[in-house]
Amino acid sequence: MTNTQVTLVQIDNYGPWTVTPEPRREADLQTMQSRLYADISQFVGNRGGYVFFTRFDNMIAVTNGCSLEDHALMQESVGNRYPVTLSLGVATGRSPVQALSDATERLQDAGSAQDETRRECLEGRVIGDDHRSDDDVQIAHFDVIDATGNYTDELNAFDTFIRIEQGYAELMRHMRYSHESLSFFVGGDNVIVVCPDLGTAEYEEAISHVEEAVDVEMQVGVGRGPNAHEAGFAAKHALETCRADGTRVELEWETA
Amino acid sequence: MTNTQVTLVQIDNYGPWTVTPEPRREADLQTMQSRLYADISQFVGNRGGYVFFTRFDNMIAVTNGCSLEDHALMQESVGNRYPVTLSLGVATGRSPVQALSDATERLQDAGSAQDETRRECLEGRVIGDDHRSDDDVQIAHFDVIDATGNYTDELNAFDTFIRIEQGYAELMRHMRYSHESLSFFVGGDNVIVVCPDLGTAEYEEAISHVEEAVDVEMQVGVGRGPNAHEAGFAAKHALETCRADGTRVELEWETA
Amino acid sequence: MTNTQVTLVQIDNYGPWTVTPEPRREADLQTMQSRLYADISQFVGNRGGYVFFTRFDNMIAVTNGCSLEDHALMQESVGNRYPVTLSLGVATGRSPVQALSDATERLQDAGSAQDETRRECLEGRVIGDDHRSDDDVQIAHFDVIDATGNYTDELNAFDTFIRIEQGYAELMRHMRYSHESLSFFVGGDNVIVVCPDLGTAEYEEAISHVEEAVDVEMQVGVGRGPNAHEAGFAAKHALETCRADGTRVELEWETA
Amino acid sequence: MTNTQVTLVQIDNYGPWTVTPEPRREADLQTMQSRLYADISQFVGNRGGYVFFTRFDNMIAVTNGCSLEDHALMQESVGNRYPVTLSLGVATGRSPVQALSDATERLQDAGSAQDETRRECLEGRVIGDDHRSDDDVQIAHFDVIDATGNYTDELNAFDTFIRIEQGYAELMRHMRYSHESLSFFVGGDNVIVVCPDLGTAEYEEAISHVEEAVDVEMQVGVGRGPNAHEAGFAAKHALETCRADGTRVELEWETA
């Protein structure tokens, strides 16, 4: 049974900072946001987690395996190297959406995202070591079937992007409302979804739904593990099986 | 009259590279993609351009002011510092979508994105210095009205994200199909759109359309300039006028 | 009693890579070397260690607290994100120089630094968790007394640099040959030295030696800990005591 | 005749920042310093210049080809992305040391490096476009003969480092006092020297001096150009000639 530990990473008072004393060069904001995300991806990733850029000023991470001390260290390190600071809310739950809701509330209770006195909060709870198990995290890695052949080498790059975006938007809403799951576009034609305990039927349904709604064909590899990296890596391998065998849904624990 | 120079930046053979000889750690792919984007943002940004992360393996840039030699240098520098290489297609046109289409075709004609023999192409044309003018680029900077008050401090972080995504998806399709414009989410609640010559009526219509379709309220500041940075910076200032005056559409050249 | 765990980090086949097929832009080599070092500093630093840039193609780290699995992960992550790969040799010993010698031999036995078939070696041993203690690492943090007043605000920037370099070179040789210690310039006017069990007499002697030999006046704060970060942080605090009290040598465990 | 444009890059009030309100984690300081240097290397390098890390809080650059506007842009961009700011002094002269002295004085006149009210100064003059010529910059690229065979594969990594350091320290002092040149260790066994108009005799003398003083054997390739990149690239090619032909001194404009 899944027990997802989710961390909401929020830059303190970011909106005002970007325009004080004057608006800042957009290219510099993009550079800073992306490098901050990349650093958090290394920190969390090296401890078995995943972080998704989401809105860049608000990032969502699956942090099973990261302690509160780890969170505090990441916060301190960012404060030493960037012109902004982070607040972190951590929570856990069987449903990823529920965990993310609780994590969000932890920060909202501490103060507004644009409250300039609310800085470097660290609120919440992690899963104790003795309460962890090998199926705490379920990750589904979707991609668009033959995106290169169907889109990238055929349409202009923005129309390809629109097709991928539509597929993502449809999948994202369906997985959130039907299955309490969190879906993130991760580049190319790939979407990674953080799920509770779902099975073949739910994934087949999701793929059909996206195909009917926006005519984008997807396949999915699914994995489980004690943390996001292990679950996600298993999902990547399952996706390779889809590619090799021409199947649409592969669950690593039923395939391997 | 706008004359947008658009560059399509494509990582060579990226899909196969990410799984050869084995799938690579997702956190590392995210880190590399983001840092590569950040570097391109600095290079292009320091020459007055904007680049948008788009799909990360395919990035779209507005490069008025960048010569073909600049493009070649960026390509060489990335090849010296990353485990991947870039191909670049450059084109110009009154319509941003038209320019992007031509830039895409330049690369498609050279070979597939996953053709492992197609490496480091540089194809296309830039606007000659004596053909440049002060209104070559029009940039519109949209944001969601009081996103912090309405969403960030109220909903869970993913539901806020869904609202912003829906607003973006609606605006993106409308601006592309009605106005041949290219729209990019740039973090927070901000969308930057690269436009041809549009006026107040078009922007008011776009905002109404998004409000009716998905109930997301946006405002917009618009600027013009010889390059993306100048047009975009003017747009940012016009957006500050919206915030200060409570207006929905501000054109910098009619406001200042 | 100190028990220093030292890792030698060596880029595989770097010399040839920098000139194949042609010499590469120097600015790009500098950028890549520095960012690789910065990443290793984050990885090792977040686990309580220190890494010193040394020669950039060969870097020396104090890795008490890092397991062999940590080393393997760092190696894998770098291989996913850079155009070069790393080989790592790890060893331990009461004397930092002895540990470093053993770590070096581990790699030399595996093959030449420019043997293109020798890639991503990981050789050596770490200190088992149950063999660790609170005084495994001793760090001394030296700086030049009032460098800003005496040099930076007075001499041209290169002559200031020469003075600092001379002080460093003298201290480095003395500490290596008299005390089996490893000294590293870390920027500004700071030198961090990794030591075995030394006391006030040895540090006073080192400072006198440097003053007599090259007329550069230094002070030092010394700390001990189970890892480099804790020892080094204690040393920084002791150095603050030197600055506040005007003393030349402060041992944190005798001061606090 | 050489006409070197030198920029002194100094982080404002850095010493106090590193210990306020408390000393900061050393690994974070190293990461930030290195990444800041890497960014400056890209900015300056992409405009044909070279920057050397020197002391990290004070960096020396050869900026022929960079205008004052370029300097201001780099300063602004760093201010948007780092927790520190830069002051810049720019000057020119036939002798690199003279130019660096003037650049240093520009900053010293504006205020102390640790004067917390002195922030983001930009002082000095650049070479006007119509005053530039093809031999404004002379770069000499030295390396140690067969460092891998003689040292890296034989001695422990610190003793190799000591040998390289001694060679560098000797060369650095000789070139500064005898030839008004600025020498910088750039990693591996490489030293790049920024020179006025020197010829074969001066380089042979420098190499003999180092060999006699510290028994380190070096070779050198020398190039000229309108900027550091072109001069340095020619020097790299000349160094390849040394390696291929077994010669000790090669001047690119006499070799090619």
Side-chain angles (χ1 to χ4, degrees):
Chain A
M1 241 162 21
T2 61
N3 188 15
T4 323
Q5 181 179 305
V6 174
T7 299
L8 172 61
V9 181
Q10 193 173 81
I11 302 177
D12 296 318
N13 205 29
Y14 191 54
W17 180 81
T18 64
V19 297
T20 307
E22 286 279 313
R24 296 175 191 268
R25 293 178 74 89
E26 187 63 37
D28 287 340
L29 296 178
Q30 291 306 310
T31 298
M32 196 206 66
Q33 289 169 185
S34 300
R35 286 176 177 172
L36 175 58
Y37 167 65
D39 276 3
I40 295 170
S41 184
Q42 280 298 291
F43 189 95
V44 169
N46 288 334
R47 285 161 182 70
Y50 274 5
V51 63
F52 304 98
F53 57 85
T54 325
R55 296 200 288 137
F56 286 99
D57 59 348
N58 284 267
M59 295 175 264
I60 294 169
V62 179
T63 54
N64 295 64
C66 298
S67 64
L68 283 174
E69 291 71 35
D70 289 334
H71 283 77
L73 172 57
M74 181 176 83
Q75 199 174 40
E76 180 182 353
S77 182
V78 166
N80 281 335
R81 300 180 294 101
Y82 285 87
V84 296
T85 55
L86 303 177
S87 281
L88 309 170
V90 197
T92 68
R94 185 159 307 159
S95 138
V97 165
Q98 187 57 52
L100 188 265
S101 281
D102 291 350
T104 309
E105 259 187 67
R106 294 276 191 172
L107 284 191
Q108 289 167 338
D109 288 348
S112 166
Q114 290 191 0
D115 171 359
E116 64 168 10
T117 66
R118 192 211 76 179
R119 302 270 172 158
E120 292 186 304
C121 294
L122 173 53
E123 309 282 345
R125 294 177 22 145
V126 299
I127 300 168
D129 280 344
D130 34 326
H131 287 106
R132 297 185 59 199
S133 76
D134 282 351
D135 56 4
D136 278 347
V137 182
Q138 183 173 129
I139 295 275
H141 193 131
F142 290 78
D143 79 352
V144 175
I145 293 175
D146 194 19
T148 304
N150 289 331
Y151 305 126
T152 309
D153 291 342
E154 296 296 316
L155 310 180
N156 80 52
F158 199 73
D159 289 341
T160 294
F161 180 46
I162 286 181
R163 305 289 291 124
I164 310 275
E165 260 300 296
Q166 283 195 292
Y168 171 49
E170 205 51 50
L171 181 66
M172 157 205 254
R173 278 195 301 271
H174 176 79
M175 294 303 290
R176 184 266 178 266
Y177 294 115
S178 300
H179 300 301
E180 302 252 313
S181 302
L182 305 169
S183 309
F184 302 94
F185 172 66
V186 292
D189 61 338
N190 297 273
V191 178
I192 289 180
V193 189
V194 187
C195 305
D197 294 292
L198 303 181
T200 304
E202 285 82 36
Y203 290 112
E204 285 179 342
E205 177 211 352
I207 284 175
S208 299
H209 174 88
V210 170
E211 201 165 334
E212 279 155 33
V214 294
D215 191 30
V216 172
E217 287 187 21
M218 304 190 82
Q219 59 199 357
V220 63
V222 192
R224 296 188 305 206
N227 62 40
H229 167 67
E230 293 198 36
F233 216 62
K236 283 178 187 264
H237 280 283
L239 191 59
E240 288 300 297
T241 304
C242 289
R243 289 175 178 143
D245 297 0
T247 43
R248 299 293 287 270
V249 176
E250 291 288 345
L251 309 184
E252 172 267 343
W253 63 93
E254 290 183 9
T255 303
Chain B
M1 239 160 26
T2 62
N3 188 15
T4 323
Q5 181 179 307
V6 174
T7 299
L8 172 60
V9 181
Q10 194 174 81
I11 301 178
D12 296 317
N13 206 27
Y14 190 55
W17 180 82
T18 63
V19 295
T20 308
E22 287 277 315
R24 297 176 190 267
R25 292 178 74 88
E26 187 63 38
D28 287 340
L29 296 177
Q30 291 306 311
T31 296
M32 196 206 66
Q33 290 170 183
S34 301
R35 286 175 176 172
L36 175 57
Y37 166 66
D39 276 2
I40 295 170
S41 184
Q42 280 298 291
F43 189 95
V44 169
N46 288 335
R47 286 160 182 70
Y50 273 7
V51 62
F52 303 98
F53 58 83
T54 324
R55 295 200 289 136
F56 286 100
D57 58 349
N58 285 266
M59 295 176 265
I60 295 168
V62 178
T63 53
N64 296 64
C66 299
S67 64
L68 282 175
E69 292 70 34
D70 288 333
H71 282 77
L73 172 59
M74 182 175 82
Q75 200 174 40
E76 178 183 354
S77 182
V78 166
N80 282 334
R81 297 180 297 101
Y82 285 88
V84 295
T85 55
L86 302 177
S87 282
L88 308 171
V90 197
T92 67
R94 186 161 304 157
S95 139
V97 165
Q98 187 56 51
L100 188 267
S101 281
D102 291 351
T104 309
E105 260 188 67
R106 294 278 190 170
L107 283 192
Q108 289 166 339
D109 288 348
S112 164
Q114 290 191 359
D115 172 359
E116 63 169 10
T117 65
R118 190 212 78 179
R119 301 268 173 161
E120 292 187 302
C121 296
L122 173 53
E123 308 282 346
R125 296 178 21 148
V126 299
I127 301 168
D129 281 343
D130 35 325
H131 287 104
R132 296 185 60 200
S133 75
D134 281 351
D135 57 2
D136 277 348
V137 182
Q138 181 171 131
I139 296 274
H141 194 131
F142 290 79
D143 79 352
V144 176
I145 293 175
D146 193 20
T148 305
N150 289 330
Y151 304 128
T152 310
D153 291 342
E154 295 297 316
L155 309 181
N156 80 52
F158 199 74
D159 288 342
T160 294
F161 180 46
I162 287 180
R163 305 290 290 125
I164 309 277
E165 261 299 297
Q166 283 195 291
Y168 171 49
E170 207 51 51
L171 181 65
M172 158 205 254
R173 278 195 301 271
H174 176 79
M175 295 302 291
R176 184 265 178 266
Y177 294 115
S178 299
H179 302 300
E180 302 250 312
S181 303
L182 304 169
S183 309
F184 302 94
F185 171 67
V186 293
D189 60 338
N190 297 272
V191 177
I192 289 179
V193 189
V194 188
C195 305
D197 294 292
L198 304 181
T200 304
E202 285 82 36
Y203 289 112
E204 285 179 341
E205 177 211 351
I207 284 176
S208 299
H209 174 89
V210 170
E211 201 164 336
E212 279 154 33
V214 294
D215 191 32
V216 172
E217 288 188 20
M218 304 189 81
Q219 58 198 357
V220 63
V222 191
R224 296 187 305 207
N227 64 39
H229 166 67
E230 292 198 37
F233 216 61
K236 283 178 187 263
H237 279 283
L239 190 60
E240 288 299 299
T241 302
C242 290
R243 287 174 180 146
D245 297 359
T247 42
R248 300 293 287 271
V249 176
E250 291 288 345
L251 310 184
E252 172 266 344
W253 63 92
E254 291 183 7
T255 303
Chain C
M1 238 157 30
T2 61
N3 189 14
T4 323
Q5 182 178 304
V6 175
T7 299
L8 172 60
V9 182
Q10 194 172 82
I11 301 178
D12 296 317
N13 206 28
Y14 191 54
W17 180 82
T18 64
V19 296
T20 307
E22 285 279 313
R24 297 174 191 268
R25 293 178 73 89
E26 186 64 36
D28 287 340
L29 296 178
Q30 293 304 313
T31 297
M32 196 206 67
Q33 288 169 184
S34 301
R35 285 175 177 172
L36 175 59
Y37 167 65
D39 276 3
I40 295 170
S41 183
Q42 280 299 290
F43 189 96
V44 169
N46 287 336
R47 286 161 182 69
Y50 274 6
V51 62
F52 304 97
F53 57 84
T54 325
R55 296 200 288 136
F56 286 100
D57 59 348
N58 284 268
M59 295 177 264
I60 295 169
V62 179
T63 53
N64 296 64
C66 298
S67 64
L68 282 174
E69 292 70 35
D70 289 334
H71 282 77
L73 172 58
M74 181 175 83
Q75 201 173 40
E76 178 182 355
S77 181
V78 166
N80 282 335
R81 299 180 294 102
Y82 285 87
V84 295
T85 55
L86 303 178
S87 281
L88 308 172
V90 197
T92 68
R94 186 160 305 159
S95 139
V97 164
Q98 188 56 53
L100 188 268
S101 282
D102 291 351
T104 309
E105 259 187 66
R106 294 278 189 170
L107 283 191
Q108 290 167 337
D109 288 350
S112 166
Q114 292 190 359
D115 172 0
E116 63 168 9
T117 66
R118 191 211 77 180
R119 301 269 172 160
E120 292 186 304
C121 295
L122 173 54
E123 308 282 345
R125 295 179 20 147
V126 299
I127 300 168
D129 280 344
D130 34 328
H131 288 105
R132 297 184 60 198
S133 75
D134 282 350
D135 57 3
D136 279 346
V137 182
Q138 182 172 131
I139 296 275
H141 194 131
F142 290 78
D143 79 353
V144 175
I145 293 174
D146 195 19
T148 304
N150 289 330
Y151 304 128
T152 309
D153 291 343
E154 295 297 316
L155 310 181
N156 79 52
F158 198 75
D159 289 342
T160 294
F161 180 46
I162 286 181
R163 305 289 291 125
I164 309 275
E165 261 299 296
Q166 283 194 290
Y168 171 49
E170 205 52 51
L171 181 66
M172 157 205 255
R173 278 196 301 272
H174 175 80
M175 295 302 291
R176 185 265 178 267
Y177 293 115
S178 299
H179 301 302
E180 301 251 315
S181 303
L182 305 169
S183 310
F184 302 94
F185 171 67
V186 293
D189 61 336
N190 296 274
V191 177
I192 288 179
V193 188
V194 187
C195 304
D197 293 292
L198 304 181
T200 304
E202 285 83 35
Y203 290 112
E204 286 179 339
E205 177 210 352
I207 285 176
S208 300
H209 174 88
V210 170
E211 201 165 334
E212 279 155 33
V214 295
D215 191 31
V216 172
E217 288 189 20
M218 305 191 81
Q219 58 198 358
V220 63
V222 191
R224 296 188 304 207
N227 63 39
H229 166 67
E230 292 198 40
F233 216 62
K236 283 179 187 261
H237 279 282
L239 190 61
E240 288 299 300
T241 302
C242 290
R243 288 174 178 145
D245 296 0
T247 42
R248 301 293 287 270
V249 176
E250 291 288 347
L251 310 185
E252 172 267 343
W253 64 92
E254 291 183 6
T255 302
Chain D
M1 242 162 22
T2 61
N3 189 14
T4 324
Q5 181 179 305
V6 175
T7 299
L8 172 61
V9 181
Q10 193 173 84
I11 301 178
D12 295 317
N13 205 28
Y14 190 55
W17 180 81
T18 65
V19 295
T20 307
E22 286 277 315
R24 297 175 190 268
R25 294 178 73 89
E26 187 63 36
D28 287 340
L29 296 178
Q30 292 305 311
T31 297
M32 195 206 67
Q33 288 169 185
S34 301
R35 286 175 176 173
L36 174 58
Y37 166 65
D39 277 3
I40 295 169
S41 184
Q42 281 298 292
F43 188 95
V44 169
N46 288 335
R47 285 159 183 71
Y50 273 6
V51 61
F52 304 97
F53 57 84
T54 326
R55 295 200 289 135
F56 287 100
D57 57 351
N58 284 267
M59 296 176 265
I60 294 168
V62 178
T63 52
N64 295 64
C66 298
S67 64
L68 282 176
E69 292 70 35
D70 289 334
H71 283 77
L73 172 57
M74 181 176 83
Q75 200 174 41
E76 179 182 354
S77 181
V78 166
N80 281 335
R81 298 179 297 101
Y82 284 87
V84 295
T85 56
L86 302 178
S87 281
L88 308 171
V90 197
T92 68
R94 185 160 308 158
S95 140
V97 165
Q98 187 56 51
L100 187 266
S101 280
D102 291 350
T104 309
E105 258 187 69
R106 294 277 191 171
L107 283 192
Q108 290 167 337
D109 288 349
S112 165
Q114 290 191 1
D115 171 359
E116 63 169 10
T117 65
R118 190 213 76 180
R119 303 270 172 159
E120 292 186 303
C121 295
L122 174 53
E123 308 284 345
R125 296 177 22 145
V126 300
I127 300 168
D129 281 344
D130 35 324
H131 287 103
R132 297 185 59 200
S133 76
D134 281 352
D135 57 3
D136 277 348
V137 183
Q138 181 171 132
I139 295 275
H141 194 131
F142 289 80
D143 80 350
V144 176
I145 294 174
D146 194 19
T148 303
N150 290 329
Y151 304 127
T152 309
D153 291 342
E154 296 296 316
L155 309 182
N156 79 52
F158 199 75
D159 289 342
T160 295
F161 181 46
I162 286 181
R163 305 289 292 125
I164 309 275
E165 260 300 296
Q166 284 195 288
Y168 171 50
E170 206 52 51
L171 180 65
M172 158 206 254
R173 277 194 302 271
H174 176 80
M175 295 302 291
R176 184 267 178 266
Y177 293 116
S178 299
H179 301 299
E180 302 252 314
S181 303
L182 304 170
S183 311
F184 302 96
F185 171 67
V186 293
D189 61 338
N190 297 272
V191 178
I192 290 179
V193 189
V194 188
C195 305
D197 294 291
L198 303 181
T200 303
E202 285 82 37
Y203 290 113
E204 286 179 342
E205 176 211 351
I207 284 176
S208 299
H209 174 89
V210 170
E211 201 164 336
E212 279 155 33
V214 294
D215 191 32
V216 173
E217 288 189 21
M218 304 192 81
Q219 58 199 359
V220 63
V222 192
R224 297 189 302 207
N227 63 39
H229 166 68
E230 293 197 36
F233 215 62
K236 282 178 186 263
H237 279 283
L239 191 60
E240 289 299 297
T241 303
C242 288
R243 287 174 179 146
D245 297 0
T247 41
R248 300 292 287 269
V249 177
E250 291 288 345
L251 309 184
E252 171 267 343
W253 64 90
E254 291 183 8
T255 303

